[in-house]
Amino acid sequence: MKRRTSGRWMVACAGLALLGALRAAPVDLAGGDLVVGAPDDLAADGYVNTADAVSTVTLVFDDDAELPPLSGAICLVKQGVGTVTFPEPRDYTGGTVVCNGFLAADEPSWLGAEGGAITLEGGGLSFWRTTGEPIKLLRAVTVAAGKT
C-alpha cells in the first residue's frame, strides 16, 4: 500500500488497483440523489446534504440493515422487503417514504426531524420501545390510497 501526496491510498493486488479517499466523515450528497443497492454499500459514517436542495437516499435492497447517520435536507425512501433499523436518532429533514419492507426504531422521533412527514406507500413502521410507555407519533403520516 502506498500513500500518495493527495491524501489517497493506492492498493494494488494481482493486477487489481483500487484508488479511494480515506473517510472519517459523512459523504456529502451536495444536492444529488443516491440509490443504495446493498447494505454493504451504505457509508459507515453516513450521509449529509449541505446543499439547499433536498437530496433523496433510496434504499432498494431486500436485506436487513442498520441505517447510518443522515443529516441535512435528505428524503429517505425505503424500498425492498427487508427491515432497516435506526440504531439511534437521525436528524434529516426531508421526510421519509416507505414503499416496501419496514423501518424500525425505538422512538418515532428517531425517524428524522419532527417536521419531516412520513408517507406509507406499502410496508410499515415498527417501534420496539421497552419502557412500557405508550408510543406517540407526533407528525404527519400519509397512507397511500388502498393501503392500510
Side-chain angles (χ1 to χ4, degrees):
M1 194 161 31
K2 296 179 184 178
R3 178 158 173 81
R4 293 184 158 195
T5 57
S6 66
R8 294 176 177 241
W9 289 87
M10 181 69 149
V11 179
C13 176
L16 173 66
L18 303 173
L19 178 64
L22 294 176
R23 295 204 178 272
V27 175
D28 188 350
L29 299 172
D33 296 330
L34 176 69
V35 176
V36 181
D40 290 344
D41 295 338
L42 289 166
D45 294 317
Y47 303 94
V48 64
N49 181 19
T50 57
D52 292 333
V54 175
S55 291
T56 300
V57 173
T58 304
L59 309 176
V60 297
F61 49 82
D62 291 333
D63 300 320
D64 295 346
E66 283 193 1
L67 185 69
L70 298 178
S71 185
I74 294 174
C75 175
L76 176 65
V77 177
K78 166 66 177 86
Q79 298 177 350
V81 297
T83 297
V84 173
T85 302
F86 289 66
E88 58 189 33
R90 302 294 183 238
D91 64 355
Y92 62 97
T93 61
T96 304
V97 179
V98 182
C99 300
N100 207 349
F102 285 87
L103 291 178
D106 185 59
E107 295 281 339
S109 62
W110 290 18
L111 302 175
E114 285 189 24
I118 298 172
T119 303
L120 300 176
E121 295 180 354
L125 303 173
S126 174
F127 301 105
W128 68 77
R129 182 186 286 180
T130 58
T131 62
E133 297 174 23
I135 293 174
K136 298 175 184 172
L137 189 57
L138 303 174
R139 64 175 73 198
V141 177
T142 303
V143 179
K147 305 292 180 182
T148 57

